[in-house]
Amino acid sequence: MKGNNEMSLQLFIPGPVNVEPDVLQKMATVQIPHRSKTATDLQERISKNLQKLMYTNDTIILSTSSGSGIMEMAIKSCTKKRAAMFSVGAFGDRWYEMAVTNSVPADKFKSEPGSPTTKEMVERALETGLYDVVAVTHNETSSGLMNHVYEIGQVIKNFPGVLFLVDAVSSLGGAKVEVDEANIDICIASTQKCLGLPPGLSVASVSERAYERALTVENRGFYLDLVNIVKRVKKDYQYPSTPSTPHMWALDYKLDKIVNIEGLENRFNRHEHLAKIVRKWAEKHFELFAKEGFRSNTVTTILNTKDFSITDLNKELMKRGFLISNGYGALKNKAFRIAHMADRQEKELLQLLKEIEDIWNL
Ligand SMILES: *Cc1c(COP(=O)(O)O)cnc(C)c1O
């Protein structure tokens, strides 16, 4: 695919991603009543496949909002005492902001740039006895860093009254997240990242413990009230408000492709393979931002050690039919990001890297 405008680019940005035409077509499914058996069956199928993708038996909910909606829902509905918010970059900072702006008592624990949230950090925070919620970013899209949520979950297990909330917005569907094994109470993702769908819908698993906690929390709001949503999904696989059924048709279809056609292991392996190609390329010409052992399989953040213009690069790349991302927030121009998520394949990735080499004379 060659192009010179935004309508025909191969997106190597960390969402929104390109959507396969057959998946996109499912959004045009004829409209159904949201209180119908068809709607119930649709959600039930989605729930079953998302449980497979998340390795959990927990309740699956959708929200007709982007992922930020469920992040806000989770922190507001589940914090009774105080939340310990662990940040490894812009999206961790943002989750903390959501707590603060919702009057949820919270503290932020920020790692050094490029360094992960460690289980020791979490343990130290929980030993104070102040917290009943831990929030962690699985895959920090700004720094290209992937935290070890399984290890962190094992620490949290030793503190029985503490809920574990995980932002897997830019990893679920691209990297393995084993919700039950990792002791995760709420695991959140958006459709426009590794799931390969248009933006506008988000998904989450919700444990019984999280639901029971939310029942005891006051002033959870209305549209994003976790209790209201979980209760209705448990009753008849429907929603208190009108969900985006066009997204649900596309999600249902795409999940079947992910789980039954590509297969979960193949999908995770493909992402890992693409990540390794980008990392190797980046280390040859630049430096990686995230520490070794914590590098993301879905997006790579590369330090702009040669001080090139990222804006000019993207202008030239767009002429050639590609788009990558500048560094996020404080990393703007200091780093650039190549996302390799959803349905990206090796061939187009190699082509992109070749174009960058050509433009920058690497
Ligand atoms: C994109 C992203 C978000 C925000 O998700 P939206 O769907 O845009 O609300 C949150 N966390 C991470 C890690 C992300 O990559």
Side-chain angles (χ1 to χ4, degrees):
M1 184 169 46
K2 280 265 173 192
N4 54 13
N5 65 48
E6 280 118 355
M7 302 298 284
S8 58
L9 294 172
Q10 297 208 40
L11 301 173
F12 284 83
I13 63 174
V17 296
N18 293 114
V19 180
E20 297 166 318
D22 54 336
V23 174
L24 203 51
Q25 197 54 43
K26 290 291 164 189
M27 299 254 325
T29 303
V30 66
Q31 193 53 54
I32 56 161
H34 69 303
R35 301 281 174 235
S36 58
K37 172 83 167 43
T38 309
T40 291
D41 292 346
L42 179 58
Q43 173 63 41
E44 188 175 4
R45 280 198 306 276
I46 290 170
S47 288
K48 297 229 154 95
N49 271 334
L50 275 175
Q51 284 174 328
K52 285 184 193 157
L53 179 60
M54 296 201 202
Y55 299 83
T56 185
N57 293 313
D58 287 349
T59 302
I60 301 295
I61 61 165
L62 310 180
S63 173
T64 302
S65 66
S66 71
S68 302
I70 304 190
M71 288 167 73
E72 196 155 350
M73 178 196 312
I75 201 67
K76 191 169 182 180
S77 295
C78 293
T79 313
K80 198 167 164 77
K81 255 162 56 177
R82 197 172 185 86
M85 320 287 293
F86 291 85
S87 171
V88 291
F91 288 104
D93 290 351
R94 208 195 257 192
W95 212 354
Y96 171 71
E97 278 299 307
M98 288 180 191
V100 171
T101 52
N102 277 290
S103 306
V104 173
D107 294 306
K108 183 162 79 173
F109 299 85
K110 190 149 188 179
S111 301
E112 290 298 312
S115 294
T117 298
T118 63
K119 58 181 197 288
E120 290 79 14
M121 286 170 74
V122 174
E123 190 160 38
R124 241 177 286 132
L126 292 183
E127 277 166 358
T128 63
L130 287 171
Y131 305 102
D132 59 356
V133 164
V134 166
V136 168
T137 313
H138 177 230
N139 189 67
E140 176 52 69
T141 317
S142 61
S143 45
L145 186 148
M146 202 170 256
N147 273 314
H148 294 179
V149 287
Y150 174 82
E151 282 181 11
I152 294 168
Q154 305 318 302
V155 166
I156 295 172
K157 244 186 214 165
N158 300 327
F159 298 86
V162 178
L163 296 179
F164 187 19
L165 316 183
V166 172
D167 168 358
V169 168
S170 63
S171 49
L172 189 82
K176 198 181 234 178
V177 188
E178 292 177 286
V179 164
D180 289 352
E181 288 289 311
N183 192 40
I184 297 170
D185 290 289
I186 301 187
C187 183
I188 304 160
S190 303
T191 48
Q192 79 279 12
K193 305 223 170 147
C194 298
L195 292 169
L197 292 156
L201 194 75
S202 47
V203 310
S205 65
V206 181
S207 72
E208 202 52 32
R209 278 169 14 113
Y211 176 66
E212 278 164 18
R213 165 72 61 74
L215 285 170
T216 71
V217 174
E218 286 175 16
N219 298 322
R220 299 181 301 266
F222 189 88
Y223 186 65
L224 296 175
D225 174 11
L226 184 114
V227 170
N228 210 9
I229 293 170
V230 170
K231 206 183 258 174
R232 186 69 207 237
V233 169
K234 281 183 170 194
K235 182 176 160 237
D236 56 6
Y237 283 114
Q238 290 186 8
Y239 287 91
S241 306
T242 321
S244 173
T245 41
H247 277 96
M248 290 172 72
W249 286 115
L251 178 61
D252 176 40
Y253 178 78
K254 181 67 187 181
L255 284 171
D256 180 58
K257 286 182 91 172
I258 292 173
V259 173
N260 299 317
I261 297 177
E262 183 170 23
L264 295 179
E265 293 297 333
N266 288 343
R267 191 170 176 88
F268 303 144
N269 290 340
R270 172 168 58 80
H271 282 80
E272 189 181 350
H273 177 66
L274 298 182
K276 281 182 177 159
I277 292 173
V278 178
R279 280 180 219 148
K280 197 169 159 208
W281 179 87
E283 287 193 304
K284 186 171 158 204
H285 303 290
F286 302 93
E287 280 169 37
L288 292 166
F289 183 73
K291 256 195 189 161
E292 179 146 28
F294 299 93
R295 289 168 184 161
S296 168
N297 281 347
T298 62
V299 56
T300 299
T301 300
I302 301 164
L303 282 169
N304 182 14
T305 47
K306 302 189 201 289
D307 212 17
F308 286 141
S309 164
I310 310 300
T311 313
D312 289 350
L313 170 71
N314 252 340
K315 267 189 208 144
E316 190 53 39
L317 278 176
M318 279 176 79
K319 286 185 206 155
R320 303 175 186 212
F322 296 91
L323 189 70
I324 64 159
S325 275
N326 205 324
Y328 193 97
L331 287 174
K332 190 162 184 202
N333 299 322
K334 297 197 170 70
F336 59 100
R337 294 174 297 160
I338 298 177
H340 25 84
M341 53 178 65
D343 304 303
R344 291 276 73 119
Q345 301 292 339
E346 179 172 350
K347 190 168 160 234
E348 62 217 24
L349 176 65
L350 293 177
Q351 183 63 35
L352 168 78
L353 298 178
K354 229 177 78 193
E355 300 290 358
I356 298 177
E357 285 172 10
D358 185 52
I359 294 165
W360 276 344
N361 284 317
L362 294 174

